[in-house]
Amino acid sequence: MVTKNRQFLLAKRPIGLPDESTYNFVESDIPELKANEVLVRGQYLSVDPYMRGRMSDAKSYAAPFELDQPLNGGVVGTVIKSNHPNFSEGDTVTGRMDWADYTAIGGDQLRKVNPDQAPITTALHVNGMPGLTAYFGLLDIGQPKEGETVVISGAAGAVGMVVGQIAKLKGCRVVGIAGSEEKNAYLINELGFDAAINYKTTNDLRQALKEACPDGIDIYFDNVGGEISDAVFSLLNFHARVPLCGQIAHYNDTQVSMGPRFLTTFLKRSILLKGFIVTNYEGRYEEAIKDLAKWVSEGNIKYKENIVEGLENTPDAFLGLFRGDNLGKQLVKIS
Ligand code: NAP
């Protein structure tokens, strides 16, 4: 039985990649509960690229993490004690909780997870935030039609894998871009992608894309940005759509990076590029969760998890996202 609460506090805002000086790993007492709060013991914690943005204090859609306060993110865990009428001891719940063994959190910020329906970890990916991101970005902005070609960067990660599988369900030709042979073999052999390109080993990404997309590109689901997107943009068809989901290639930049300017192409080809944040769609989560859960239970959406053991290894699991360690969703098993 754990009697202390280990937690990671933000010690310093990183410049470039975070390192050990970014965090303080401390032990404190298990938090006391206020009215309507629930004490949750975390089981699995999600590390996500957007957390890099919250470590800095630049203006963004999510509030920065506070210095000397716990970092937080998606967690699935067990209710240990409850002062909230909707939750009882033993319930499995998910919500935004601390990088810690325990979090005291308002019950209104938690959602119950049914452990008999799907493995509880899926609440942090295919049946959770990354799945919702893929769903709304592709279906609402991408508007895929049968026979169209969809290209996905960051294709072998939590969001990218789901995008590709939904695009296959919609009858599209799907081409992934990812950083290893193992990842690309999985995309083709297990998930049914039509082609996959290793951007780290190809000499000419644009040419490789041209060969993989003989009819041009109708939808580019961008998780990455940088030179990968530069290579894709010039191959976009008339009336192509670009759901701009992420720019992980730039999250640790210390200077604004410049690249080819493609806005004339976007103008001439009437291309739609739309940045989005999954929370824009909060009012429609229920509809999406239902579809995703159905596709997952029917085996139409498969998934992979990369699980690092031990809360103490969370910072390295987070850095692994930028090294490309993860095939599928990167999680941390807290204890
Ligand atoms: P993920 O893809 O599971 O993990 C990140 C992957 O990005 C790594 O495995 C790595 O794979 C790739 N990567 C890292 N640095 C790269 C670089 N410099 N160039 C090319 N690829 C790089 O992460 P995720 O959770 O699914 O998120 C994917 C993207 O969506 C991120 O940009 C994230 O910020 C964004 N996102 C946006 C929303 C939203 O609401 N808009 C919500 C969730 C996620 P390789 O081996 O292929 O390099």
Side-chain angles (χ1 to χ4, degrees):
M1 172 71 188
V2 183
T3 53
K4 287 280 177 189
N5 187 30
R6 299 172 302 157
Q7 50 180 198
F8 278 99
L9 311 182
L10 182 67
K12 205 171 101 184
R13 301 203 183 278
I15 297 168
L17 271 178
D19 59 23
E20 315 83 71
S21 69
T22 307
Y23 313 96
N24 259 334
F25 194 39
V26 299
E27 257 189 19
S28 55
D29 291 335
I30 294 172
E32 294 292 325
L33 285 192
K34 301 192 189 97
N36 286 316
E37 280 192 342
V38 175
L39 181 68
V40 180
R41 193 183 67 224
Q43 291 188 55
Y44 292 92
L45 175 160
S46 167
V47 285
D48 296 271
Y50 79 87
M51 292 168 171
R52 175 63 189 85
R54 297 192 68 202
M55 289 176 189
S56 77
D57 56 5
K59 190 173 170 189
S60 186
Y61 58 91
F65 292 126
E66 285 177 44
L67 286 171
D68 299 321
Q69 294 298 315
L71 296 101
N72 58 54
V75 167
V76 65
T78 310
V79 173
I80 299 297
K81 224 193 265 177
S82 175
N83 278 350
H84 192 282
N86 296 354
F87 297 95
S88 319
E89 196 183 319
D91 284 348
T92 305
V93 291
T94 187
R96 183 177 286 182
M97 290 179 252
D98 297 342
W99 285 17
D101 292 304
Y102 294 91
T103 304
I105 179 171
D108 54 349
Q109 295 168 58
L110 291 173
R111 177 167 68 85
K112 271 190 201 171
V113 170
N114 180 351
D116 299 326
Q117 212 159 50
I120 60 171
T121 49
T122 61
L124 298 174
H125 51 98
V126 282
N127 289 321
M129 187 277 280
L132 292 166
T133 305
Y135 183 97
F136 289 114
L138 180 68
L139 297 179
D140 196 65
I141 302 171
Q143 302 269 335
K145 292 170 203 70
E146 198 170 339
E148 288 190 326
T149 298
V150 179
V151 169
I152 305 153
S153 57
V159 175
M161 275 187 184
V162 180
V163 174
Q165 294 180 85
I166 299 177
K168 285 308 300 176
L169 285 171
K170 298 292 170 189
C172 298
R173 174 174 177 77
V174 176
V175 177
I177 304 172
S180 78
E181 296 307 317
E182 184 201 359
K183 290 183 179 187
N184 287 342
Y186 181 81
L187 295 178
I188 294 171
N189 301 332
E190 300 294 327
L191 304 188
F193 280 44
D194 297 282
I197 300 168
N198 183 344
Y199 73 92
K200 288 187 177 161
T201 54
T202 182
N203 296 326
D204 186 342
L205 180 57
R206 186 175 183 279
Q207 183 57 32
L209 280 162
K210 219 169 153 183
E211 285 162 20
C213 307
D215 299 326
I217 298 167
D218 301 295
I219 299 175
Y220 172 45
F221 195 103
D222 189 8
N223 284 315
V224 168
E227 289 174 10
I228 292 178
S229 296
D230 293 344
V232 177
F233 286 155
S234 65
L235 299 170
L236 290 172
N237 288 335
F238 277 82
H239 298 288
R241 285 84 67 202
V242 182
L244 185 63
C245 175
Q247 296 280 285
I248 194 167
H250 298 297
Y251 293 169
N252 293 294
D253 283 357
T254 51
Q255 287 177 335
V256 176
S257 69
M258 294 298 295
R261 293 190 163 104
F262 278 112
L263 290 182
T264 313
T265 310
F266 280 67
L267 170 69
K268 286 184 181 161
R269 298 185 196 166
S270 301
I271 294 164
L272 171 80
L273 179 145
K274 190 172 189 305
F276 75 101
I277 300 301
V278 63
T279 47
N280 299 351
Y281 294 94
E282 225 156 16
R284 292 173 53 195
Y285 280 0
E286 219 166 290
E287 146 207 347
I289 287 280
K290 226 158 71 192
D291 282 346
L292 289 164
K294 179 168 172 286
W295 290 330
V296 172
S297 69
E298 291 169 351
N300 286 319
I301 289 188
K302 297 183 192 159
Y303 59 86
K304 260 262 198 262
E305 297 170 338
N306 200 54
I307 300 183
V308 161
E309 299 268 341
L311 177 67
E312 64 281 10
N313 295 316
T314 305
D316 193 54
F318 176 65
L319 275 187
L321 294 170
F322 300 96
R323 293 189 297 255
D325 288 358
N326 58 307
L327 170 52
K329 177 64 196 157
Q330 182 64 59
L331 298 169
V332 175
K333 188 165 187 222
I334 294 179
S335 60

